[in-house]
Amino acid sequence: MEPPAQLAGRQRHGARLGVWPPNVVDDKGKILIPSDAWSWGGRINTTIPDSEPRFRRAAGIPAAIVTSSATYDFPHGYYAGVNFFYQSAMSLDRLDTMWVPKGHTFDLNFGYRGKKWDVLTNITNVLNNDIYNFAGFANWLDPKFQRAVNITLAHHF
């Protein structure tokens, strides 16, 4: 199968300059894949069947999330508490090529609750540990639970 005459010069010229890949030929010189058959750019997609057990994990969802909270009420309206959050490592894609490490955070809360007013304090991520959330629809990671201090003053009417 010979390329049309108008393409022959262009193909030879392009292959010589390194612009196009050369024709793919068999051992007898017959063109199996002409040089114009190659495409450049685009997106490569891979379909993984559900029958493949190695890749059944959902991308961007950790296998384990553990939360725990404890609060103690002291006499005269004072209180203190702690929150714990743990997230296991998670893969960012079905092929397990990119991973987010596991992480945990501790939060402290304390304050005063009275009949007419409250003062509530919450310190998020006391140890300033890195932990991430995967926004799969946009393919980016964002930090989860950054260290912050929130103080709330409330008056009851």
Side-chain angles (χ1 to χ4, degrees):
M1 175 178 164
E2 290 294 321
Q6 67 270 22
L7 295 178
R10 187 182 79 173
Q11 287 176 340
R12 283 194 299 273
H13 180 68
R16 188 172 56 245
L17 294 176
V19 177
W20 288 289
N23 293 328
V24 176
V25 296
D26 65 8
D27 57 348
K28 295 180 179 145
K30 180 181 175 188
I31 296 175
L32 300 174
I33 302 173
S35 63
D36 283 351
W38 300 97
S39 65
W40 299 93
R43 296 181 70 157
I44 297 174
N45 293 320
T46 304
T47 303
I48 303 168
D50 286 336
S51 61
E52 178 57 55
R54 293 180 299 157
F55 305 113
R56 287 191 181 149
R57 183 180 303 114
I61 300 174
I65 295 177
V66 177
T67 59
S68 181
S69 298
T71 302
Y72 182 78
D73 290 324
F74 295 100
H76 310 293
Y78 294 98
Y79 77 96
V82 63
N83 299 325
F84 171 75
F85 177 88
Y86 169 81
Q87 172 180 294
S88 66
M90 65 179 162
S91 174
L92 298 181
D93 62 347
R94 292 281 305 267
L95 297 176
D96 293 341
T97 59
M98 298 177 291
W99 282 81
V100 172
K102 65 183 177 182
H104 65 277
T105 63
F106 286 97
D107 304 337
L108 293 178
N109 49 68
F110 54 90
Y112 172 80
R113 294 186 188 116
K115 291 182 180 180
K116 290 285 189 182
W117 56 277
D118 299 340
V119 177
L120 314 171
T121 304
N122 187 34
I123 304 170
T124 306
N125 197 358
V126 174
L127 302 176
N128 202 26
N129 290 337
D130 291 331
I131 190 165
Y132 296 96
N133 187 36
F134 177 57
F137 63 90
N139 291 328
W140 75 65
L141 290 174
D142 59 356
K144 187 189 265 189
F145 306 126
Q146 293 179 339
R147 183 186 288 169
V149 176
N150 299 310
I151 301 172
T152 304
L153 175 63
H155 179 73
H156 303 284
F157 295 98

